Amino acid sequence: MAAHVSENDELKDIIKLMWGTNVKEDVFQRWTQGFHFSADEPTALVQWEGGPCAVLAPVQAFIIKSLVSESWTSNWKEVETERVNRLLIRAACEILCQAYGGQKYRLVHMNDQEQTPNTETKQNTESSSTEPKLDHTYFHSQLRVHSVDSSDEVEAFYLERIQMLRETFGVLLFLYSVMYTKGLEQLNTEVTDIGEPMIDGEYGYGSQCLINLMITGRAVAHVWNHDQDVGGLKLRGIDKQSTVGFLALLEHLRYCEVGSFLKNPMNPVWVLGSETHLTVLFSFEKQLVSAETPTEVARRVFKSFDPEGNNFISSDLLQDVLSMLNLVSDPEYVEIMKKRLDPDNLGIILLSAFMDEFFPEESISVPDTFTLFHYNGLPRSCPSNKVVYQEGSAVLLECNMKCVLDSNPMLTCLQTKWPSIEVRWLSGATPSLN
């Protein structure tokens, strides 16, 4: 049932967690847009200002995930509005289900939704300068919540109110629904610093906590696998293989570590993070991803004891690695294996030696050529200012040496997953990550 929530303490705390103690009007206005699809690519969302890509790109990734899983390879241009709306609602439902805190789905909407200004003017002119807008105080005073028990009821709610998602405050209403469905208690548990707003007060960018919440349902600050103990401090990461993935341009500078749960998602769809923007990469080649094999599990566990990425560990850690992999870890056996894997008694065990000994039958099933597509929702970042998917032909070279080019951030980002990848884009120009 619907309830007035403008005086609700939990919603107030969620708003504070989102914006900080002071909601800046100019930043708020950048987020006032609906889920609007490109006139040139029926299933591609358009982003009007910097900031809301933290919501738009993950939603886009889940829309594409539906297209990929249903193997829609040739008729994107023929998708009708009703079908596109259902793809949007399915994406919204999946994101809410991931965030579901176990109580109820709490769907935030506005009391006078029919009276909010439609964004058709802004969408048609690709300019927001002449569009009248409502301020954040009025917006927050009109919020209501509709609580339901199941994802089917979530779907029915949005089917009846599809225009709510498509109009002025659609992105914010959905974001608040995700956070409210997650629940303040769980958000406070997962967010590293609840005093740091999830939306940057100056530039309006979403934090990694917000991005992770939208992609995985966990509002954690790190993108590595599991939680890690750093100097006695527990730093939370991703807890399982994700539905859609995430790759970060800054990983090549070791500013972050993206774990295999995000690099190898269940579907060949990845949100790409640059320093300032989020875009989406995807392929219809389903062999690019898979459930973790025993070999991949072993490699991941070994690397969890190698935080510096040196591809070796101290021989003293061998027993812990074997134990985590449920392999024989008796002290006598471990000593035998230490001598075998470290014959020169250097005190280290190489990843390659470990894998050759315990998992020698590694087979590479990833195709060496495949087609990629890239999405960027900002018209100004797209050729001819048209938001369309950019197609590229990828090849994985036999040599594992990678060349980092500051002039090609796209390639640098993709090499964090495929070190030997090269891509030829059909347009002749490399798509922008910004």
Side-chain angles (χ1 to χ4, degrees):
M1 60 183 292
H4 189 290
V5 295
S6 60
E7 300 300 320
N8 184 287
D9 289 337
E10 183 172 2
L11 185 67
K12 287 182 178 179
D13 287 339
I14 286 175
I15 293 170
K16 183 178 178 181
L17 182 61
M18 181 65 61
W19 301 98
T21 54
N22 178 34
V23 184
K24 293 187 178 180
E25 190 60 42
D26 61 329
V27 174
F28 174 80
Q29 292 298 338
R30 294 186 210 172
W31 282 76
T32 57
Q33 77 155 83
F35 292 98
H36 173 69
F37 290 90
S38 170
D40 304 292
E41 193 78 79
T43 59
L45 293 166
V46 179
Q47 178 181 340
W48 302 111
E49 304 286 350
C53 58
V55 173
L56 290 169
V59 171
Q60 181 69 62
F62 276 88
I63 289 172
I64 291 169
K65 171 249 170 190
S66 291
L67 295 176
V68 170
S69 63
E70 295 173 14
S71 298
W72 284 26
T73 56
S74 61
N75 57 350
W76 292 339
K77 308 299 182 184
E78 301 167 14
V79 184
E80 296 179 352
T81 300
E82 181 179 351
R83 175 61 178 155
V84 171
N85 285 340
R86 286 189 172 273
L87 287 169
L88 173 61
I89 291 170
R90 181 187 298 181
C93 289
E94 288 191 69
I95 291 171
L96 281 164
C97 286
Q98 287 190 151
Y100 179 56
Q103 299 298 317
K104 284 182 176 291
Y105 293 93
R106 294 176 173 179
L107 308 175
V108 179
H109 60 102
M110 290 185 72
N111 180 46
D112 58 346
Q113 188 64 43
E114 294 77 17
Q115 299 177 38
T116 61
N118 193 288
T119 54
E120 285 302 313
T121 301
K122 177 162 71 170
Q123 292 160 357
N124 290 338
T125 64
E126 300 193 0
S127 170
S128 58
S129 59
T130 61
E131 175 65 29
K133 296 175 181 177
L134 303 177
D135 62 32
H136 69 84
T137 303
Y138 177 78
F139 169 70
H140 286 128
S141 73
Q142 296 301 310
L143 296 184
R144 304 290 185 269
V145 65
H146 182 80
S147 298
V148 298
D149 296 312
S150 70
S151 58
D152 287 343
E153 291 175 282
V154 173
E155 183 177 359
F157 176 86
Y158 284 129
L159 278 172
E160 291 177 5
R161 299 168 179 83
I162 186 61
Q163 284 306 113
M164 181 186 80
L165 291 175
R166 302 290 294 264
E167 292 177 353
T168 306
F169 297 110
V171 168
L172 282 174
L173 291 172
F174 176 63
L175 174 55
Y176 282 17
S177 297
V178 173
M179 295 191 69
Y180 214 170
T181 295
K182 180 75 175 179
L184 185 64
E185 182 178 351
Q186 194 61 38
L187 286 169
N188 287 336
T189 298
E190 293 178 358
V191 173
T192 302
D193 182 3
I194 59 174
E196 189 73 23
M198 295 178 80
I199 294 177
D200 180 82
E202 184 174 357
Y203 299 107
Y205 305 138
S207 69
Q208 192 64 52
C209 292
L210 175 53
I211 295 167
N212 285 345
L213 173 62
M214 297 299 298
I215 293 175
T216 72
R218 271 172 69 86
V220 295
H222 302 283
V223 288
W224 53 49
N225 291 343
H226 301 303
D227 300 341
Q228 293 193 15
D229 190 298
V230 179
L233 187 64
K234 186 178 182 181
L235 301 179
R236 294 181 176 273
I238 308 303
D239 62 344
K240 61 184 178 182
Q241 187 180 27
S242 56
T243 300
V244 300
F246 179 77
L247 302 176
L249 174 62
L250 293 180
E251 186 178 18
H252 85 283
L253 295 175
R254 294 194 175 182
Y255 287 155
C256 67
E257 175 194 335
V258 182
S260 61
F261 289 155
L262 286 170
K263 279 187 180 172
N264 180 40
M266 289 182 274
N267 299 278
V269 183
W270 295 265
V271 175
L272 305 183
S274 73
E275 301 97 324
T276 60
H277 188 44
L278 297 175
T279 58
V280 181
L281 181 87
F282 63 101
S283 175
F284 287 92
E285 180 52 75
K286 296 179 181 179
Q287 283 186 295
L288 292 178
V289 295
S290 64
E292 277 194 304
T293 65
T295 297
E296 289 166 336
V297 172
R299 190 180 297 274
R300 170 169 59 81
V301 169
F302 187 98
K303 288 190 171 184
S304 72
F305 289 89
D306 174 28
E308 298 298 320
N310 295 317
N311 288 327
F312 65 79
I313 60 170
S314 165
S315 56
D316 293 337
L317 295 173
L318 179 60
Q319 185 171 22
D320 294 332
V321 174
L322 294 175
S323 178
M324 283 193 68
L325 292 171
N326 294 317
L327 299 174
V328 177
S329 57
D330 296 336
E332 297 83 0
Y333 176 76
V334 171
E335 286 304 315
I336 293 172
M337 295 313 300
K338 279 184 182 180
K339 293 177 181 177
R340 184 163 175 171
L341 297 173
D342 181 19
D344 297 325
N345 199 28
L346 298 175
I348 63 172
I349 293 173
L350 298 176
L351 172 61
S352 57
F354 178 85
M355 297 303 296
D356 288 343
E357 176 65 35
F358 293 101
F359 297 88
E361 304 264 333
E362 182 174 17
S363 60
I364 299 175
S365 59
V366 176
D368 54 12
T369 61
F370 48 91
T371 300
L372 287 174
F373 296 90
H374 181 255
Y375 153 87
N376 189 330
L378 286 169
R380 64 175 179 265
S381 298
C382 299
S384 303
N385 293 321
K386 293 183 177 181
V387 176
V388 296
Y389 301 129
Q390 300 295 316
E391 182 176 346
S393 298
V395 57
L396 301 183
L397 306 176
E398 292 186 10
C399 175
N400 261 329
M401 294 294 290
K402 62 182 178 181
C403 177
V404 177
L405 299 173
D406 291 336
S407 60
N408 194 340
M410 169 68 77
L411 186 63
T412 300
C413 184
L414 299 189
Q415 285 176 340
T416 63
K417 175 170 175 61
W418 300 286
S420 64
I421 193 171
E422 291 286 347
V423 185
R424 176 186 294 176
W425 298 96
L426 266 60
S427 67
T430 301
S432 174
L433 291 180
N434 294 311

